[in-house]
Amino acid sequence: MQLQEIDKSRYRNHLNKVIGACIAALTIGSLGVAQTLILLFPDADGSHFHWNLLGVVISCSVIFYVLRRVKLHPFMVEVVYVWELKQALNRITRKMPKLKKAAQQGNVNAMLAIHYSYAGSRQLWMLDDNTITMEELAIWQAELDALAAKYQVSLDAADYDEGILRAF
């Protein structure tokens, strides 16, 4: 996955609309399904937990299905990009201890994966207004840059391919 420039205001606007629609659909859907089932199949004990749970499960399934179907719609471009970026960064984070150890030994692919992780995290944190840890990220990036200079390696996030993680 390649890093792309994303319009922050468009992303936030679309994300808020998607979240709002999902919340509304979950609320209306789960209540509607549960109330319909309770009406059709009343319980003498007055406990309708299983119908309420089934309403939530059905609503979540429908929301998931709809999101998968509209994933390629132009409205969803930024939202899907950020979702996929978060998944890619999570895969790197799970291997980070091994990557850092290999990078200390001069492994170029490890340094490249770490560099991509830092660049992606920076973009993600800026999009989500999560600037609290940016100073730490700058320190980590400086350490990586020093390591790259030590081994005379040039790092470019565009060169990253997820396949290199298999070696770690």
Side-chain angles (χ1 to χ4, degrees):
M1 173 177 185
Q2 295 298 315
L3 297 178
Q4 304 169 11
E5 287 299 317
I6 296 294
D7 180 10
K8 182 178 177 176
S9 62
R10 179 178 157 96
Y11 161 69
R12 296 299 298 173
N13 182 14
H14 289 196
L15 178 65
N16 289 338
K17 287 178 181 176
V18 169
I19 289 172
C22 288
I23 290 171
L26 180 61
T27 303
I28 294 167
S30 60
L31 287 174
V33 169
Q35 290 302 311
T36 303
L37 290 172
I38 290 168
L39 182 66
L40 295 174
F41 308 106
D43 189 353
D45 296 340
S47 173
H48 305 293
F49 174 76
H50 54 285
W51 296 136
N52 291 325
L53 180 61
L54 186 58
V56 171
V57 169
I58 290 171
S59 295
C60 285
S61 299
V62 170
I63 291 168
F64 179 74
Y65 174 77
V66 169
L67 286 175
R68 299 269 304 178
R69 298 290 290 173
V70 300
K71 179 180 178 179
L72 299 177
H73 190 277
F75 183 85
M76 296 291 289
V77 169
E78 294 84 6
V79 175
V80 170
Y81 168 76
V82 170
W83 173 258
E84 290 174 353
L85 177 60
K86 287 180 180 182
Q87 290 176 336
L89 294 176
N90 191 23
R91 285 189 284 276
I92 295 171
T93 300
R94 285 193 301 255
K95 298 195 179 231
M96 193 60 81
K98 291 179 183 177
L99 289 170
K100 286 191 175 187
K101 184 176 180 182
Q104 290 293 332
Q105 297 169 353
N107 186 306
V108 176
N109 287 336
M111 286 187 243
L112 184 59
I114 294 169
H115 180 70
Y116 178 87
S117 175
Y118 292 168
S121 294
R122 185 176 304 107
Q123 180 184 31
L124 185 62
W125 294 344
M126 293 302 286
L127 287 172
D128 287 338
D129 290 327
N130 181 9
T131 57
I132 294 173
T133 54
M134 284 298 220
E135 290 178 17
E136 285 182 54
L137 183 61
I139 294 168
W140 299 337
Q141 184 68 55
E143 291 171 356
L144 180 63
D145 291 343
L147 200 57
K150 175 182 176 183
Y151 289 104
Q152 299 172 352
V153 174
S154 162
L155 299 174
D156 183 6
D159 295 336
Y160 172 75
D161 179 72
E162 192 172 311
I164 65 175
L165 291 178
R166 288 186 212 117
F168 302 97

